[in-house]
Amino acid sequence: MLFALGMPLLFAADHVAAAAGAPGPAVEGLAQVAASGLLGLGVIDWWWRGNLVGGIAGRPLGLGNLLCFLSLSATLGRATLAGELPAGMGLVAALLGLLTVAFAWRMFLWRPALPPAFGR
């Protein structure tokens, strides 16, 4: 998901800015800065795959994802409802909102079962 959002912003920032109705070098630069953050978080997620998102090492990863998806969904949702973005972006905002809820559940509510090796 982060790769799919970050790559167009990084390599086609001019087209993305024009599609959003705000072409210009400043908006393209901001899009590329946002892409850097998305791709950086995506690489961290990819390298962390297979590990639990929890515990002392996984909590920062989960919280980073939670905050990323929360801010993305809120920003895109607000801009779509205000009519500044095409209506199709509402679907993207809803999907990001679902990912926000999933990371909140994983971070604050989910408790993994201990394997039998941990002596219960």
Side-chain angles (χ1 to χ4, degrees), residues 9-10 27-39:
L9 287 175
L10 186 63
V27 176
E28 292 170 20
L30 287 175
Q32 289 178 332
V33 168
S36 300
L38 291 171
L39 291 172

Side-chain angles (χ1 to χ4, degrees), residues 1-105:
M1 179 67 154
L2 295 171
F3 180 79
L5 289 172
M7 290 305 282
L9 287 175
L10 186 63
F11 292 111
D14 54 341
H15 297 292
V16 172
V27 176
E28 292 170 20
L30 287 175
Q32 289 178 332
V33 168
S36 300
L38 291 171
L39 291 172
L41 188 57
V43 167
I44 292 170
D45 287 348
W46 180 258
W47 279 80
W48 190 260
R49 71 187 185 281
N51 295 315
L52 290 177
V53 178
I56 196 164
R59 253 219 212 263
L61 175 76
L63 191 57
N65 278 284
L66 173 68
L67 293 175
C68 175
F69 289 124
L70 176 65
S71 63
L72 279 170
S73 64
T75 302
L76 289 177
R78 183 174 41 98
T80 303
L81 290 175
E84 297 172 6
L85 292 175
M89 291 303 286
L91 181 62
V92 174
L95 179 61
L96 292 168
L98 287 174
L99 288 170
T100 301
V101 170
F103 270 103
W105 173 80

